[in-house]
């Protein structure tokens, strides 16, 4: 009778009903609605004492080695067991059984203290002893290469007294007769003495594991050592479904060869321990690595340190992992140190096998905690859990992988949650799936949708507010600009109107003054012509001079009027411009003398060309008159004339009071007078008229001041460039 204690199985205190189902399950129904299922069969886990599973032959028989060093085979179809004892096999120790493509079964081990093998053709065993080779053939040092050659590796204490011992043996099989023959013995120094594991990669290269790893060159059969891998013995070598070579090196790690590069996995990556014992590639492509601390599983991305409970750790050379058809995993233990699953059964066996048939029901996943709305800066913690039907994999041994927004799935980890930091604003979808101990993955991952709210400045109401503020500011500025502009325009119009009123007033007055002035000037000239008395003449000429000034002013004002109404036109004549200028200067010479100003002309001699005599006279007179007027006595006025291309340039330079920079531009404005200089008589229209006349001519006028370093008399220079006028 077998007693299942309540504590170990977690059964309800008072079971009230028991049902035995056809699937070898016992249903236990508790009082408060708990339902339990007990697996009474040997479906998922089964232990076999005293036996080590080795292989399966073509006829479907399963082969085992017994603790007593005999071999048994089992036919699952008929349930028949067959045993072969030492007399049949002719080996004193059997370490491994390997089927080959020739339909043969190869038992390897030792006989009478030396390496030996025995080949079974289905009827009888034929033993070959190799005392020249080694003390035994390594349990994992057996392999069939692609060309059907069997290779065997040396093990045991070095046969130091046998020259050429160690290395590997190659056996060939005659396809026709089935004859088995030793073809090669590759011994040191070319080959290592020990060959503990073999593997063949898709490129046809045979790999030999010893203290170092060797790649046997398929062309030359020469072994080339692989540098860079440390540790001690090679305990196992396998090639995975992708053709990658895996090597387990004791005290070093599990190594994967990828395109001539080695990737080494150690405890830091999730390998349970570096006391490694075997490797096994599973049907789903994942890899098991057994070690003293447990069996680890690699899913192509990450390691699960203990794929089975901790007690499944295995040590010792004779322990091994095997894969049988239908995906059964056999774990062979030869172990008197560890607390193995065999010992757990209470039998005290130290030699036996555990068969595991991975169950196929996937676990369920559920997201427990996930906020719908996540505030800025987008940090959230999501938790989840899973459950495997009937707790086949305990909850704490389930693993989870997650995927955010359809991205890549994360590596599986035992964590029941994850903190996401700084997620971007907007909607997010998180999916989580659980995986059980047999790597069954939940086909319908749980899904949670949540939204990370947008930061303040991206909220619609905030954007609208900013827009409104900016809009009203723009409006305000626009309104201000509009009214300011309007005010300026109004003022300008007003000034223009005032200006026009002023001009038309002066024009009207001028018209009125013109006739009486002619009537004053004419008689005055005549009286001056006949008067001989010096005193009277002086008074008369003063009157004449001032009358002349008034007529100049009057004629200037009338010119403005004519310019504005377009009546003033160019009247070209041809002649010597230098002579015309000197004539104007001559009329001003008396004024210069009165003011004690030295008036000089310098020119190129004659300057013949087309010009407007009246305008030239007015321009020259205005500039020279001003120069004399604004030059204190003792100063000088210097007039020059030069020709540049198709223009002549008139320059009037004085050593007078000069014009400050801030007034330079404005002296050409109508009625503008430099305030400090207004003690000198003037109207402020001379330069403006000059500029308009120059403009009518198509020339340019400019002013510079100061023109000398003398701060008392900085002086000014007016330059006028006027094109020669060609008469059509
Ligand atoms: P005004 O009748 O006052 O001379 P203008 O239009 O001829 O009127 O000259 C405008 C102003 O320019 C003058 O009031 C004077 O201040 C300044 N100005 C003109 N020519 C000279 C000069 N050669 N030297 C110094 N200042 C001058």
């Amino acid at each position: 009778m077998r007693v299942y204690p309540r504590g170990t199985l977690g059964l309800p205190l008072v079971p009230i009903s028991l049902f035995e189902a056809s699937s070898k399950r016992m249903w236990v129904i508790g009082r408060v609605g708990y339902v339990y299922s007990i697996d009474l069969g040997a479906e998922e886990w089964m232990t076999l004492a005293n036996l080590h599973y080795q292989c399966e032959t073509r006829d479907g028989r399963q082969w085992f080695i017994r603790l007593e060093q005999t071999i048994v085979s089992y036919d699952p179809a008929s349930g028949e067991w067959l045993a072969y004892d030492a007399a049949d096999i002719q080996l004193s120790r059997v370490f491994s059984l390997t089927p080959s493509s020739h339909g043969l079964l190869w038992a390897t081990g030792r006989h009478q203290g030396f390496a030996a093998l025995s080949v079974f053709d289905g009827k009888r065993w034929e033993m070959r002893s190799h005392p020249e080779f080694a003390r035994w053939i390594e349990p994992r040092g057996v392999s069939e290469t692609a060309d059907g050659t069997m290779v065997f590796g040396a093990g045991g204490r070095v046969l130091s007294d046998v020259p050429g011992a160690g290395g590997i043996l190659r056996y060939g099989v005659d396809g026709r007769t089935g004859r088995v023959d030793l073809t090669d013995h590759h011994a040191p120094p070319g080959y290592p003495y020990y060959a503990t594991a073999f593997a063949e990669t898709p490129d046809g290269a045979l790999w030999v594991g010893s203290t170092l790893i060797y790649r046997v060159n398929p062309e030359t059969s020469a072994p080339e050592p692989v540098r860079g891998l440390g540790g001690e013995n090679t305990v196992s070598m396998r090639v995975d479904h992708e053709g990658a070579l895996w090597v387990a090196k004791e005290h070093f790690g599990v190594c994967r060869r990828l395109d001539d590069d080695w990737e080494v996995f150690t405890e830091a990556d999730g390998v349970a321990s570096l006391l490694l014992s075997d490797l096994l590639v599973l049907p789903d492509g994942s890899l098991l690595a057994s070690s003293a601390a447990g069996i680890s599983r690699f899913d192509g991305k990450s390691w699960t340190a203990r794929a089975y409970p901790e007690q499944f750790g295995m040590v010792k050379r004779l322990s091994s992992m095997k894969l049988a058809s239908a995906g059964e995993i056999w774990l062979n233990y030869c172990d008197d140190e560890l607390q193995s699953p065999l010992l757990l059964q209470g039998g005290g066996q130290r030699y036996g096998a555990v068969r595991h048939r991975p169950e196929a029901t996937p676990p369920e996943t559920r997201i427990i905690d996930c906020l719908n709305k996540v505030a800025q800066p987008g940090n959230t913690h999501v938790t989840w859990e899973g459950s495997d039907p009937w707790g086949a994999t305990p909850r704490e041994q389930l693993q989870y992988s997650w995927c955010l927004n359809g991205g890549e799935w994360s590596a599986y980890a035992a964590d029941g949650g994850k903190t996401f930091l700084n997620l971007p604003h907007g909607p997010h979808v998180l999916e989580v799936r659980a995986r059980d101990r047999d790597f069954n993955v939940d086909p319908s991952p749980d899904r949670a949708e949540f939204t990370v709210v947008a930061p303040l400045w991206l909220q619609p109401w905030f954007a609208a507010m900013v827009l409104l503020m900016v809009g009203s500011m723009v409006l305000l500025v626009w309104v201000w600009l509009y009214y300011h502009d309007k005010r300026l325009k109004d003022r300008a119009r007003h000034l223009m109107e005032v200006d026009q009123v002023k001009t038309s007033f002066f024009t009207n007055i001028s018209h009125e003054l013109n006739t009486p002035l002619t009537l004053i000037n004419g008689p005055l000239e005549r009286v001056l012509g006949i008067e001989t008395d010096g005193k009277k003449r002086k008074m008369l000429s003063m009157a004449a001079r001032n009358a002349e000034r008034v007529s100049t002013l009057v004629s200037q004002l009338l010119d403005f009027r004519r310019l504005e109404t377009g009546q003033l036109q160019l009247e070209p004549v041809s002649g010597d411009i230098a002579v015309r200028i000197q004539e104007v200067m001559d009329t001003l010479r008396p004024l210069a003398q009165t003011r004690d100003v030295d008036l000089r002309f310098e020119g190129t001699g004659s300057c013949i060309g087309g010009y407007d005599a009246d305008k030239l006279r007015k321009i020259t007179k205005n500039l020279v008159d001003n120069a004399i007027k604004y030059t204190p006595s003792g100063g000088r006025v210097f007039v020059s004339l030069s020709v540049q291309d198709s223009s002549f340039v008139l320059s009037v330079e004085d050593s007078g009071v000069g014009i400050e920079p801030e007034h330079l531009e404005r002296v050409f404005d109508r009625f503008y007078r430099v305030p400090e200089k207004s003690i000198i008589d003037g109207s402020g229209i001379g330069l403006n008229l000059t500029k308009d006349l120059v403009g009518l001519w198509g020339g340019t006028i400019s002013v510079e001041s100061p023109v000398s370093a003398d701060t008392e008399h900085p002086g000014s220079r007016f330059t006028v460039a006027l094109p020669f006028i060609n008469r059509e």
Side-chain angles (χ1 to χ4, degrees), residues 113-143:
F114 293 102
L117 54 94
S118 193
V119 194
F120 183 63
D121 61 5
K123 293 188 192 76
R124 60 184 199 89
W125 297 87
E126 188 190 332
M127 197 272 282
R128 301 295 181 92
S129 163
H130 287 285
E132 81 296 350
F133 177 57
R135 294 208 183 266
W136 65 68
I137 292 172
E138 277 292 316
R140 275 188 279 280
V142 184
S143 182

Side-chain angles (χ1 to χ4, degrees), residues 469-483:
M469 270 169 66
V470 170
S472 34
M473 268 164 71
V474 167
L475 193 75
L476 271 171
V477 169
W478 184 82
V479 168
W480 184 83
L481 280 176
Y482 175 78
Y483 282 105

